[in-house]
């Protein structure tokens, strides 16, 4: 039997197909990853609405699977993970009713407050356990009330589930994988089931919500015409993984019980893995979220804006004619004065695209701090601010959950940012273990491999497999910037 699996990992700016091979004798297994295809994920504005080009994503997935089959022959499975909350609406025939709307679109501005007039914020948190983000699916659906598209809809699929359905065709089961469904705001976080009563109170037809499934479920097999198009010689199962990319990334974190994690990409997801949600009023006021994880776990975390700040600045500088080389910018930032200027990385002012350097400058001026004058100073402001946000989130997660933390794992693309990792160690006063870079693809493959019997065991056993052969770097706190300076910087933001 083949022990090669295709992990489709969709990000906010690009997608890729990674083949993971399970190698080694029983008890010594490891996973070897090979990125076989990468493709752009470029949203488009149509009639004033920011939308995902989902057909281009589907085309990219097929191209990646075709290349995976060309290189590796027979695959043992395909699993898709990606970002949360965004969804496609389907008509009575299961046909997509237009492109999914992008979570950064402005249509949900002011919608949370309208929802709270019907279901108070405290009650909503007690039911879904979610951090208030204006783009949560529940707010998107309330914003769409009265539109012809929603009126015509007879079903809803989150983006990874939609693409899985297109792979399997009519033979596949339509459903919602729970780790991503838990980000919608319409799932009861205690029972891991849809909250039909909540949906009805908000004017959302509960019939739109598809059956739920857990990671490791066989969704179906790649349809014959699709299999012919990608050149795969044998039946190919499509498997539910942790379809929220952070859920897959957390599976790939080589962590123990006293660890915090930072899944660092466009967004930074900072938190702990728990056995049960934390639904206290203090947790709600701290704006922590309880999202479901693999094997009945809970991802207790806070969303932080992440490397979006840096990438948007680089885009602005490139548009102005600068090379905006990342290595040069980080070197200049490392030489800049520490904690001279910090901003609240969670501020909603940084959510939309465009003009990021100017918005950072405006926030610095508003809070009475020196305005960064050079790209190096802007980047230093960003990495200091992210480290400060991680410090705050790790400390509050530990306090609110009653869990002690003695190490922070940074995974994803941000684990390659040496300056950010060092500053995170200094800010938290804890060692930082950076890596694996490909945590989401790794977790995706581990869940697939267990689903078909190529691996066995609980999360600890899967993580042991994942850790073998991975490049990990440990950063100890240096004390170059002491704890008092971080505390003072945080006070400036308040």
């Amino acid at each position: 039997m083949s022990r090669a699996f295709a992990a489709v990992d969709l990000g906010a700016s690009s997608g890729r197909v990674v083949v993971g091979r399970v190698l080694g004798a029983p008890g010594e297994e490891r996973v070897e990853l090979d990125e076989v295809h990468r493709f752009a994920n470029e949203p488009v504005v149509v009639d004033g609405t920011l939308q995902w080009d989902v057909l281009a994503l589907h085309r990219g997935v097929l191209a990646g699977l075709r290349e995976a089959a060309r290189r590796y022959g027979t695959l043992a499975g395909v699993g898709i993970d990606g970002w949360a909350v965004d969804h496609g609406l389907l008509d009575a025939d299961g046909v997509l009713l237009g492109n999914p709307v992008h979570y950064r679109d402005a249509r949900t501005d002011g919608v949370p407050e309208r929802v709270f007039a019907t279901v108070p914020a405290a009650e909503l948190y007690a039911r879904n356990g979610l951090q208030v983000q204006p783009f949560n699916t529940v707010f998107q659906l309330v914003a769409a009330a009265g539109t012809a598209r929603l009126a015509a809809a007879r079903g809803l699929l989150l983006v990874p589930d939609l693409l899985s359905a297109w792979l399997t065709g009519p033979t596949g089961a339509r459903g919602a994988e729970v780790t991503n469904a838990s980000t919608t705001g319409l799932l009861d976080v205690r029972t891991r089931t849809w909250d039909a009563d909540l949906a009805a109170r908000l004017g959302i037809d509960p019939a739109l919500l598809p059956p739920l499934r857990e990671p490791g479920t066989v969704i179906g097999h790649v349809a014959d015409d699709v299999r012919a198009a990608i050149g795969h010689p044998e039946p190919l199962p499509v498997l539910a993984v942790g379809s929220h990319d952070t859920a897959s990334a957390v599976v790939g974190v080589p962590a123990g019980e006293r660890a915090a994690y930072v899944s660092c990409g466009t967004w930074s997801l900072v938190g702990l893995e728990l056995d049960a949600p934390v639904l206290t009023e203090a947790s709600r006021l701290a704006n922590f979220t309880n999202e479901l994880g693999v094997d009945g776990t809970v991802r207790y975390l806070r969303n932080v804006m992440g490397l979006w700040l840096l990438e948007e600045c680089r885009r602005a500088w490139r548009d102005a004619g600068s090379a905006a080389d990342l290595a040069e910018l980080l070197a200049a930032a490392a030489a800049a004065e520490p904690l001279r200027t910090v901003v609240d990385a969670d501020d909603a002012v940084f959510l939309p695209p465009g003009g990021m350097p100017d918005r950072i400058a405006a926030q610095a001026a508003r809070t009475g701090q020196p305005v960064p004058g050079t790209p190096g100073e802007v980047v230093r402001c960003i990495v200091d601010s992210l480290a400060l946000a991680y410090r705050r989130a790790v400390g509050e997660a530990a306090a609110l959950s009653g869990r002690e933390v003695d190490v922070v794992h940074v995974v994803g693309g941000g684990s390659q940012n040496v300056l950010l990792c060092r500053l995170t160690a200094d800010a938290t006063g804890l060692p930082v273990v950076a890596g694996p870079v490909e945590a989401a693809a790794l977790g995706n493959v581990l869940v697939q491999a267990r689903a078909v019997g190529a691996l066995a065991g609980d999360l600890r056993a899967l993580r042991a497999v994942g850790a073998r052969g991975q490049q990990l770097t440990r950063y100890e706190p240096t004390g170059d910037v002491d704890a008092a300076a971080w505390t003072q910087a945080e006070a400036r933001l308040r």
Side-chain angles (χ1 to χ4, degrees), residues 238-275:
V238 179
L239 303 161
V241 295
S243 68
H244 189 321
D245 51 8
T246 307
S248 279
V250 171
V251 174
V253 175
E257 291 184 357
R258 294 162 63 94
Y261 59 81
V262 181
S263 181
C264 185
T266 300
W267 287 92
S268 289
L269 294 305
V270 187
L272 313 173
E273 185 176 73
L274 302 177
D275 296 327

mmCIF file of all heavy atoms in Angstrom, residues 238-275:
data_model
loop_
_atom_site.group_PDB
_atom_site.id
_atom_site.type_symbol
_atom_site.label_atom_id
_atom_site.label_comp_id
_atom_site.label_asym_id
_atom_site.label_seq_id
_atom_site.Cartn_x
_atom_site.Cartn_y
_atom_site.Cartn_z
ATOM 1 N N VAL A 238 -10.614 10.829 -0.361
ATOM 2 C CA VAL A 238 -10.522 12.192 0.152
ATOM 3 C C VAL A 238 -10.894 12.122 1.627
ATOM 4 O O VAL A 238 -11.982 11.651 1.975
ATOM 5 C CB VAL A 238 -11.458 13.149 -0.610
ATOM 6 C CG1 VAL A 238 -11.363 14.556 -0.038
ATOM 7 C CG2 VAL A 238 -11.113 13.152 -2.092
ATOM 8 N N LEU A 239 -9.992 12.585 2.485
ATOM 9 C CA LEU A 239 -10.121 12.401 3.928
ATOM 10 C C LEU A 239 -10.299 13.736 4.630
ATOM 11 O O LEU A 239 -9.644 14.724 4.292
ATOM 12 C CB LEU A 239 -8.870 11.696 4.475
ATOM 13 C CG LEU A 239 -8.564 10.338 3.829
ATOM 14 C CD1 LEU A 239 -7.118 9.947 4.069
ATOM 15 C CD2 LEU A 239 -9.495 9.279 4.381
ATOM 16 N N ALA A 240 -11.191 13.767 5.608
ATOM 17 C CA ALA A 240 -11.316 14.946 6.454
ATOM 18 C C ALA A 240 -10.122 14.995 7.401
ATOM 19 O O ALA A 240 -9.820 14.017 8.091
ATOM 20 C CB ALA A 240 -12.620 14.897 7.248
ATOM 21 N N VAL A 241 -9.442 16.113 7.405
ATOM 22 C CA VAL A 241 -8.343 16.354 8.352
ATOM 23 C C VAL A 241 -8.793 17.478 9.276
ATOM 24 O O VAL A 241 -9.969 17.853 9.278
ATOM 25 C CB VAL A 241 -7.054 16.718 7.593
ATOM 26 C CG1 VAL A 241 -6.586 15.538 6.748
ATOM 27 C CG2 VAL A 241 -7.258 17.953 6.704
ATOM 28 N N GLY A 242 -7.908 18.015 10.078
ATOM 29 C CA GLY A 242 -8.231 19.266 10.763
ATOM 30 C C GLY A 242 -8.291 20.345 9.698
ATOM 31 O O GLY A 242 -7.266 20.924 9.329
ATOM 32 N N SER A 243 -9.486 20.604 9.159
ATOM 33 C CA SER A 243 -9.567 21.437 7.955
ATOM 34 C C SER A 243 -9.353 22.912 8.246
ATOM 35 O O SER A 243 -9.105 23.696 7.318
ATOM 36 C CB SER A 243 -10.905 21.227 7.237
ATOM 37 O OG SER A 243 -11.978 21.728 7.994
ATOM 38 N N HIS A 244 -9.431 23.328 9.499
ATOM 39 C CA HIS A 244 -8.900 24.641 9.852
ATOM 40 C C HIS A 244 -7.384 24.477 9.894
ATOM 41 O O HIS A 244 -6.862 23.607 10.593
ATOM 42 C CB HIS A 244 -9.436 25.087 11.213
ATOM 43 C CG HIS A 244 -9.102 26.523 11.555
ATOM 44 N ND1 HIS A 244 -7.889 27.092 11.259
ATOM 45 C CD2 HIS A 244 -9.814 27.478 12.190
ATOM 46 C CE1 HIS A 244 -7.874 28.351 11.688
ATOM 47 N NE2 HIS A 244 -9.028 28.609 12.235
ATOM 48 N N ASP A 245 -6.661 25.303 9.146
ATOM 49 C CA ASP A 245 -5.212 25.107 9.048
ATOM 50 C C ASP A 245 -4.526 25.158 10.408
ATOM 51 O O ASP A 245 -3.519 24.474 10.631
ATOM 52 C CB ASP A 245 -4.582 26.095 8.061
ATOM 53 C CG ASP A 245 -4.955 27.543 8.307
ATOM 54 O OD1 ASP A 245 -5.589 27.857 9.337
ATOM 55 O OD2 ASP A 245 -4.628 28.381 7.441
ATOM 56 N N THR A 246 -5.069 25.930 11.346
ATOM 57 C CA THR A 246 -4.466 25.956 12.679
ATOM 58 C C THR A 246 -4.681 24.636 13.403
ATOM 59 O O THR A 246 -3.804 24.177 14.137
ATOM 60 C CB THR A 246 -5.036 27.107 13.511
ATOM 61 O OG1 THR A 246 -4.905 28.330 12.787
ATOM 62 C CG2 THR A 246 -4.289 27.243 14.832
ATOM 63 N N ALA A 247 -5.826 23.996 13.196
ATOM 64 C CA ALA A 247 -6.059 22.693 13.815
ATOM 65 C C ALA A 247 -5.038 21.688 13.307
ATOM 66 O O ALA A 247 -4.492 20.883 14.078
ATOM 67 C CB ALA A 247 -7.477 22.211 13.521
ATOM 68 N N SER A 248 -4.758 21.692 11.998
ATOM 69 C CA SER A 248 -3.718 20.815 11.465
ATOM 70 C C SER A 248 -2.345 21.215 11.994
ATOM 71 O O SER A 248 -1.527 20.356 12.337
ATOM 72 C CB SER A 248 -3.728 20.851 9.937
ATOM 73 O OG SER A 248 -4.731 20.010 9.411
ATOM 74 N N ALA A 249 -2.079 22.521 12.071
ATOM 75 C CA ALA A 249 -0.775 22.973 12.564
ATOM 76 C C ALA A 249 -0.541 22.544 14.005
ATOM 77 O O ALA A 249 0.577 22.163 14.375
ATOM 78 C CB ALA A 249 -0.663 24.489 12.439
ATOM 79 N N VAL A 250 -1.588 22.591 14.845
ATOM 80 C CA VAL A 250 -1.430 22.205 16.246
ATOM 81 C C VAL A 250 -1.110 20.715 16.356
ATOM 82 O O VAL A 250 -0.346 20.295 17.231
ATOM 83 C CB VAL A 250 -2.682 22.594 17.054
ATOM 84 C CG1 VAL A 250 -2.646 22.006 18.457
ATOM 85 C CG2 VAL A 250 -2.794 24.115 17.144
ATOM 86 N N VAL A 251 -1.678 19.894 15.471
ATOM 87 C CA VAL A 251 -1.301 18.475 15.453
ATOM 88 C C VAL A 251 0.191 18.341 15.162
ATOM 89 O O VAL A 251 0.872 17.458 15.702
ATOM 90 C CB VAL A 251 -2.121 17.696 14.409
ATOM 91 C CG1 VAL A 251 -1.625 16.251 14.273
ATOM 92 C CG2 VAL A 251 -3.595 17.699 14.786
ATOM 93 N N GLY A 252 0.728 19.223 14.328
ATOM 94 C CA GLY A 252 2.138 19.171 13.968
ATOM 95 C C GLY A 252 3.074 19.804 14.962
ATOM 96 O O GLY A 252 4.293 19.789 14.760
ATOM 97 N N VAL A 253 2.559 20.373 16.056
ATOM 98 C CA VAL A 253 3.410 20.988 17.076
ATOM 99 C C VAL A 253 3.982 19.886 17.972
ATOM 100 O O VAL A 253 3.224 19.141 18.592
ATOM 101 C CB VAL A 253 2.618 21.993 17.930
ATOM 102 C CG1 VAL A 253 3.492 22.524 19.074
ATOM 103 C CG2 VAL A 253 2.124 23.156 17.079
ATOM 104 N N PRO A 254 5.309 19.766 18.080
ATOM 105 C CA PRO A 254 5.905 18.729 18.936
ATOM 106 C C PRO A 254 5.887 19.152 20.404
ATOM 107 O O PRO A 254 6.921 19.338 21.035
ATOM 108 C CB PRO A 254 7.331 18.625 18.388
ATOM 109 C CG PRO A 254 7.636 19.997 17.890
ATOM 110 C CD PRO A 254 6.325 20.557 17.359
ATOM 111 N N ALA A 255 4.695 19.264 20.970
ATOM 112 C CA ALA A 255 4.513 19.918 22.258
ATOM 113 C C ALA A 255 4.029 18.953 23.320
ATOM 114 O O ALA A 255 3.354 17.965 23.041
ATOM 115 C CB ALA A 255 3.505 21.059 22.114
ATOM 116 N N GLY A 256 4.348 19.281 24.574
ATOM 117 C CA GLY A 256 3.819 18.571 25.727
ATOM 118 C C GLY A 256 2.691 19.353 26.366
ATOM 119 O O GLY A 256 2.210 20.356 25.820
ATOM 120 N N GLU A 257 2.281 18.926 27.554
ATOM 121 C CA GLU A 257 1.102 19.511 28.193
ATOM 122 C C GLU A 257 1.340 20.924 28.705
ATOM 123 O O GLU A 257 0.382 21.673 28.897
ATOM 124 C CB GLU A 257 0.650 18.618 29.351
ATOM 125 C CG GLU A 257 0.078 17.276 28.907
ATOM 126 C CD GLU A 257 -0.446 16.463 30.069
ATOM 127 O OE1 GLU A 257 -0.300 16.935 31.221
ATOM 128 O OE2 GLU A 257 -0.994 15.380 29.835
ATOM 129 N N ARG A 258 2.578 21.309 28.971
ATOM 130 C CA ARG A 258 2.857 22.631 29.547
ATOM 131 C C ARG A 258 3.360 23.608 28.489
ATOM 132 O O ARG A 258 4.078 24.545 28.792
ATOM 133 C CB ARG A 258 3.881 22.493 30.673
ATOM 134 C CG ARG A 258 3.336 21.715 31.869
ATOM 135 C CD ARG A 258 4.464 21.221 32.771
ATOM 136 N NE ARG A 258 5.215 22.300 33.356
ATOM 137 C CZ ARG A 258 4.980 22.823 34.555
ATOM 138 N NH1 ARG A 258 3.989 22.361 35.299
ATOM 139 N NH2 ARG A 258 5.725 23.798 35.044
ATOM 140 N N ALA A 259 2.935 23.400 27.254
ATOM 141 C CA ALA A 259 3.410 24.230 26.146
ATOM 142 C C ALA A 259 2.312 25.164 25.656
ATOM 143 O O ALA A 259 1.126 24.822 25.655
ATOM 144 C CB ALA A 259 3.883 23.349 24.993
ATOM 145 N N ALA A 260 2.726 26.350 25.230
ATOM 146 C CA ALA A 260 1.876 27.247 24.446
ATOM 147 C C ALA A 260 2.362 27.192 23.004
ATOM 148 O O ALA A 260 3.484 26.765 22.725
ATOM 149 C CB ALA A 260 1.954 28.669 24.982
ATOM 150 N N TYR A 261 1.508 27.601 22.079
ATOM 151 C CA TYR A 261 1.907 27.606 20.677
ATOM 152 C C TYR A 261 1.572 28.950 20.046
ATOM 153 O O TYR A 261 0.638 29.653 20.453
ATOM 154 C CB TYR A 261 1.240 26.472 19.887
ATOM 155 C CG TYR A 261 -0.276 26.508 19.891
ATOM 156 C CD1 TYR A 261 -0.983 27.345 19.032
ATOM 157 C CD2 TYR A 261 -1.006 25.712 20.775
ATOM 158 C CE1 TYR A 261 -2.361 27.386 19.042
ATOM 159 C CE2 TYR A 261 -2.384 25.745 20.790
ATOM 160 C CZ TYR A 261 -3.058 26.591 19.924
ATOM 161 O OH TYR A 261 -4.431 26.631 19.942
ATOM 162 N N VAL A 262 2.366 29.295 19.044
ATOM 163 C CA VAL A 262 2.077 30.422 18.159
ATOM 164 C C VAL A 262 2.142 29.868 16.740
ATOM 165 O O VAL A 262 3.219 29.515 16.255
ATOM 166 C CB VAL A 262 3.089 31.568 18.322
ATOM 167 C CG1 VAL A 262 2.726 32.719 17.383
ATOM 168 C CG2 VAL A 262 3.168 32.046 19.763
ATOM 169 N N SER A 263 0.991 29.733 16.100
ATOM 170 C CA SER A 263 0.953 29.343 14.696
ATOM 171 C C SER A 263 1.009 30.630 13.895
ATOM 172 O O SER A 263 0.035 31.387 13.840
ATOM 173 C CB SER A 263 -0.323 28.547 14.380
ATOM 174 O OG SER A 263 -0.344 28.149 13.026
ATOM 175 N N CYS A 264 2.154 30.892 13.311
ATOM 176 C CA CYS A 264 2.471 32.238 12.834
ATOM 177 C C CYS A 264 2.550 32.279 11.316
ATOM 178 O O CYS A 264 3.465 31.716 10.703
ATOM 179 C CB CYS A 264 3.797 32.687 13.441
ATOM 180 S SG CYS A 264 4.228 34.385 13.052
ATOM 181 N N GLY A 265 1.579 32.938 10.711
ATOM 182 C CA GLY A 265 1.555 33.184 9.287
ATOM 183 C C GLY A 265 0.932 34.549 9.062
ATOM 184 O O GLY A 265 1.247 35.510 9.756
ATOM 185 N N THR A 266 0.023 34.632 8.087
ATOM 186 C CA THR A 266 -0.720 35.887 7.896
ATOM 187 C C THR A 266 -1.379 36.302 9.202
ATOM 188 O O THR A 266 -1.369 37.475 9.586
ATOM 189 C CB THR A 266 -1.775 35.705 6.793
ATOM 190 O OG1 THR A 266 -1.123 35.345 5.583
ATOM 191 C CG2 THR A 266 -2.571 36.975 6.597
ATOM 192 N N TRP A 267 -1.986 35.337 9.865
ATOM 193 C CA TRP A 267 -2.477 35.519 11.229
ATOM 194 C C TRP A 267 -1.531 34.803 12.183
ATOM 195 O O TRP A 267 -0.848 33.849 11.803
ATOM 196 C CB TRP A 267 -3.878 34.920 11.387
ATOM 197 C CG TRP A 267 -4.945 35.710 10.721
ATOM 198 C CD1 TRP A 267 -5.420 35.545 9.456
ATOM 199 C CD2 TRP A 267 -5.679 36.808 11.276
ATOM 200 N NE1 TRP A 267 -6.408 36.462 9.190
ATOM 201 C CE2 TRP A 267 -6.583 37.247 10.282
ATOM 202 C CE3 TRP A 267 -5.664 37.443 12.507
ATOM 203 C CZ2 TRP A 267 -7.456 38.301 10.492
ATOM 204 C CZ3 TRP A 267 -6.530 38.496 12.724
ATOM 205 C CH2 TRP A 267 -7.416 38.920 11.727
ATOM 206 N N SER A 268 -1.534 35.238 13.436
ATOM 207 C CA SER A 268 -0.864 34.491 14.491
ATOM 208 C C SER A 268 -1.943 33.995 15.441
ATOM 209 O O SER A 268 -2.727 34.796 15.979
ATOM 210 C CB SER A 268 0.120 35.373 15.254
ATOM 211 O OG SER A 268 1.241 35.686 14.459
ATOM 212 N N LEU A 269 -1.991 32.678 15.638
ATOM 213 C CA LEU A 269 -2.939 32.071 16.560
ATOM 214 C C LEU A 269 -2.134 31.648 17.783
ATOM 215 O O LEU A 269 -1.243 30.802 17.678
ATOM 216 C CB LEU A 269 -3.639 30.879 15.929
ATOM 217 C CG LEU A 269 -4.576 31.133 14.725
ATOM 218 C CD1 LEU A 269 -5.628 32.153 15.062
ATOM 219 C CD2 LEU A 269 -3.835 31.494 13.464
ATOM 220 N N VAL A 270 -2.446 32.245 18.920
ATOM 221 C CA VAL A 270 -1.616 32.087 20.112
ATOM 222 C C VAL A 270 -2.451 31.461 21.214
ATOM 223 O O VAL A 270 -3.483 32.034 21.610
ATOM 224 C CB VAL A 270 -1.072 33.454 20.589
ATOM 225 C CG1 VAL A 270 -0.071 33.265 21.732
ATOM 226 C CG2 VAL A 270 -0.436 34.221 19.437
ATOM 227 N N GLY A 271 -2.035 30.295 21.715
ATOM 228 C CA GLY A 271 -2.843 29.693 22.758
ATOM 229 C C GLY A 271 -2.325 28.372 23.263
ATOM 230 O O GLY A 271 -1.137 28.049 23.148
ATOM 231 N N LEU A 272 -3.256 27.586 23.793
ATOM 232 C CA LEU A 272 -2.978 26.309 24.435
ATOM 233 C C LEU A 272 -3.929 25.260 23.889
ATOM 234 O O LEU A 272 -5.017 25.585 23.403
ATOM 235 C CB LEU A 272 -3.192 26.409 25.955
ATOM 236 C CG LEU A 272 -2.599 27.603 26.699
ATOM 237 C CD1 LEU A 272 -3.063 27.590 28.148
ATOM 238 C CD2 LEU A 272 -1.079 27.584 26.617
ATOM 239 N N GLU A 273 -3.555 23.991 24.014
ATOM 240 C CA GLU A 273 -4.457 22.887 23.713
ATOM 241 C C GLU A 273 -5.036 22.370 25.025
ATOM 242 O O GLU A 273 -4.298 22.002 25.935
ATOM 243 C CB GLU A 273 -3.715 21.767 22.990
ATOM 244 C CG GLU A 273 -4.620 20.633 22.544
ATOM 245 C CD GLU A 273 -3.872 19.578 21.753
ATOM 246 O OE1 GLU A 273 -3.098 18.818 22.379
ATOM 247 O OE2 GLU A 273 -4.029 19.541 20.523
ATOM 248 N N LEU A 274 -6.369 22.347 25.112
ATOM 249 C CA LEU A 274 -7.052 21.960 26.347
ATOM 250 C C LEU A 274 -7.998 20.797 26.072
ATOM 251 O O LEU A 274 -8.301 20.471 24.929
ATOM 252 C CB LEU A 274 -7.844 23.147 26.911
ATOM 253 C CG LEU A 274 -7.072 24.431 27.225
ATOM 254 C CD1 LEU A 274 -8.032 25.518 27.697
ATOM 255 C CD2 LEU A 274 -5.977 24.191 28.246
ATOM 256 N N ASP A 275 -8.485 20.219 27.176
ATOM 257 C CA ASP A 275 -9.459 19.130 27.074
ATOM 258 C C ASP A 275 -10.899 19.633 27.061
ATOM 259 O O ASP A 275 -11.813 18.890 26.684
ATOM 260 C CB ASP A 275 -9.292 18.158 28.244
ATOM 261 C CG ASP A 275 -7.941 17.454 28.215
ATOM 262 O OD1 ASP A 275 -7.447 17.201 27.111
ATOM 263 O OD2 ASP A 275 -7.396 17.180 29.301
#
